[in-house]
Amino acid sequence: MTIPLGEFDLIARYFTRPARRAFLGVGDDCALLPAPAAGEQLAISSDMLVEGRHFLPDADPEALGHKALAVNLSDLAAVGAQPLAFTLALALPQAEARWLEGFARGMWALADAHDIELVGGDTTRGPRNLCITVLGTVPQGRALLRSAAQAGDDLWVSGTLGDARLALGYRLGEWSLDDVAQATSFARMDRPTPRVTLGLALRGVAHAAIDVSDGLLADLGHILQRSGVGATVHADACPASPALRTQSATRRRLCQLAGGDDYELLFTAPTSARDAVQAAATQAATAVTRIGRIETRPGLRLIDAEGQVLDNAYAGFDHFRPA
Ligand SMILES: [Mg+2]
């Protein structure tokens, strides 16, 4: 049902709550927030979800509300920042109450789970496009950077990899999945869990970090490039869900190495910090797995369980690469 909601009604009805930490929240020309405390830095990141590119027109609006915020929180997690607030820029073809209610419900649930407030944004009529900008804080000099990996570091990843790609392959008709595998893999694709608590716990423990959005090897490539190092990855050591463990080795590798949308943390830490990494994982109630090693020698080497070198044919996702 389409209802004749104006922009201001829409904002008032779905996206306005009393300001808390903000001096001034939604509804004025700007939001006003207290400046970070002395010795703290602001961490800022934007991520956009576009209909037809990142989600289908019939996607569940509640899951979209969750995911639009989750992918942004994941970027804060990747630098070890504490989430603070966010803005929302929304283009919609029409102000449809059912869609807006669902979207707002998914978004607020995740916002409340991380105790962050919506402080502003914009709405306009247009092809459906969801853009969130998150703000967080991190003590000066303690952010986890892509450029901080050092030769000799262990390479770690949180949670499990490849489920979102497993779900996508089913949706694209590349393979079939049983009901249980469908349910678990679609849950991972539609409602990713940003590893915020783990990112915070890894400050002062990990060297470099990134969140896995474009695919493990593509995102690892960013760390290697920025840090001026290479790596060996044990392809078969990548943590897999029960659904993925039942798939062929070829499909599992494709999903885990090249599949995007996992939103796990990929990070490096010195071997002397193994106990500290495990302690951080326990504190965050998030499993972590060692999958390789950072090396002086440039390039990315993939090996299997027997130590045989695998062809690195698993490029990650690049939005602007010709198909
Ligand atoms: Mg990222």
Side-chain angles (χ1 to χ4, degrees), residues 2 5-7 10-11 14-15 49 51 55 61 64 88-101 103-104 122-131:
T2 304
L5 263 186
E7 178 183 1
L10 186 158
I11 292 169
Y14 298 107
F15 300 115
L49 297 183
E51 184 173 291
F55 61 91
L64 279 177
L88 169 68
L90 204 54
L92 298 172
Q94 58 204 15
E96 193 191 350
R98 190 196 64 85
W99 192 93
L100 282 159
E101 277 162 17
F103 179 85
D122 192 21
T123 57
T124 186
R125 193 179 293 270
R128 198 171 280 145
N129 188 331
L130 326 168
C131 182

Side-chain angles (χ1 to χ4, degrees), residues 75-205:
D75 282 324
L76 289 183
V79 298
Q82 175 72 55
L84 175 67
F86 65 106
T87 65
L88 169 68
L90 204 54
L92 298 172
Q94 58 204 15
E96 193 191 350
R98 190 196 64 85
W99 192 93
L100 282 159
E101 277 162 17
F103 179 85
R105 194 162 53 240
M107 183 196 77
W108 286 124
L110 189 62
D112 289 344
H114 291 273
D115 192 28
I116 57 171
E117 60 187 318
L118 175 64
V119 295
D122 192 21
T123 57
T124 186
R125 193 179 293 270
R128 198 171 280 145
N129 188 331
L130 326 168
C131 182
I132 285 180
T133 298
V134 280
L135 294 91
T137 56
V138 63
Q140 188 113 29
R142 296 195 67 201
L144 305 172
L145 305 180
R146 297 178 179 186
S147 56
Q150 293 178 19
D153 280 358
D154 291 320
L155 187 61
W156 297 82
V157 71
S158 67
T160 59
L161 292 172
D163 291 298
R165 182 64 181 83
L166 188 65
L168 182 66
Y170 173 79
R171 183 168 280 166
L172 296 176
E174 292 175 339
W175 47 68
S176 59
L177 292 177
D178 65 35
D179 289 351
V180 175
Q182 280 181 48
T184 55
S185 61
F186 274 92
R188 288 296 310 273
M189 180 168 74
D190 294 339
R191 292 175 173 272
T193 305
R195 302 299 189 187
V196 173
T197 316
L198 180 63
L200 291 170
L202 287 172
R203 289 200 307 224
V205 175

Side-chain angles (χ1 to χ4, degrees), residues 5 34 60 131 199 272 290:
L5 263 186
D60 172 19
C131 182
S272 60
R290 210 147 32 87

Side-chain angles (χ1 to χ4, degrees), residues 35-52:
E40 298 233 304
Q41 292 174 309
L42 267 183
I44 303 170
S45 181
S46 287
D47 231 317
M48 189 160 55
L49 297 183
V50 177
E51 184 173 291

